[in-house]
Amino acid sequence: MFATLESTKIIDQAEQLANWVLQSDIVKEYRRCYHILKNDTEAQQLISEFTKIKDLYEDVQRFGKYHPDYRKITKELRDVKRTVDLNDHVANFKKAENEVQSLLDEISVQIGQAVSVHIKVPTGNPFFESSCGGGCGTGGSCGCKVS
């Protein structure tokens, strides 16, 4: 029964932490940028065009450079991706998305380190990556450390 009560308390605190994250300025900015991006017809058209070209590219990739349209579709994909990436609303959204991911990565590392310096926390962020390739960011016996 004690373990169940303790687990319930931990889950309640995790929910409280999640609510704090949801109410943070970082997440508010993410939601604002997401809303702007979703309501921008130009950006949505660019994303749709990119998706279509990407599907064509995936078909071409099955044959690689031997496909007759390989160079044409590869160039179109790069051009459209560049146009999408240079769109202000897409760029702002990606920046906000990365900020949220960084916050979540930092929280994960803090929780992992609070449990043990040997806990490995996958973050997907090279900032937290280690020489052992695990990304634990702990300074444990494997020599990992937060950069």
Side-chain angles (χ1 to χ4, degrees), residues 25-43:
D25 290 341
I26 292 172
V27 171
K28 287 177 185 175
E29 177 64 8
Y30 167 81
R31 286 182 175 158
R32 187 186 74 77
C33 290
Y34 178 82
H35 178 73
I36 290 170
L37 178 63
K38 285 297 177 187
N39 291 307
D40 180 34
T41 54
E42 180 186 344

Side-chain angles (χ1 to χ4, degrees), residues 39-88:
N39 291 307
D40 180 34
T41 54
E42 180 186 344
Q44 291 306 308
Q45 287 174 338
L46 288 171
I47 291 168
S48 177
E49 184 180 345
F50 174 75
T51 302
K52 289 176 188 170
I53 296 286
K54 189 175 131 211
D55 290 342
L56 286 173
Y57 178 77
E58 287 172 3
D59 286 342
V60 166
Q61 279 300 99
R62 290 184 300 144
F63 301 102
K65 64 182 178 181
Y66 301 106
H67 190 283
D69 294 330
Y70 175 79
R71 286 187 179 171
K72 176 184 170 234
I73 291 175
T74 301
K75 183 181 181 328
E76 282 181 43
L77 179 70
R78 282 193 311 264
D79 292 346
V80 171
K81 178 160 181 8
R82 184 172 189 275
T83 303
V84 168
D85 289 343
L86 290 175
N87 179 280
D88 288 338

Side-chain angles (χ1 to χ4, degrees), residues 112-121 136-144:
Q113 287 180 346
V115 172
S116 169
V117 295
H118 302 289
I119 295 291
K120 293 180 182 175
V121 180
C136 61
T138 62
S141 60
C142 64
C144 298

Side-chain angles (χ1 to χ4, degrees), residues 20-34 92-107:
W20 288 337
V21 169
L22 290 171
Q23 294 172 18
S24 71
D25 290 341
I26 292 172
V27 171
K28 287 177 185 175
E29 177 64 8
Y30 167 81
R31 286 182 175 158
R32 187 186 74 77
C33 290
Y34 178 82
N92 290 338
F93 172 75
K94 284 184 177 185
K95 182 179 179 227
E97 187 176 47
N98 288 337
E99 292 292 323
V100 171
Q101 185 62 53
S102 292
L103 175 63
L104 296 174
D105 290 346
E106 289 179 44
I107 290 169

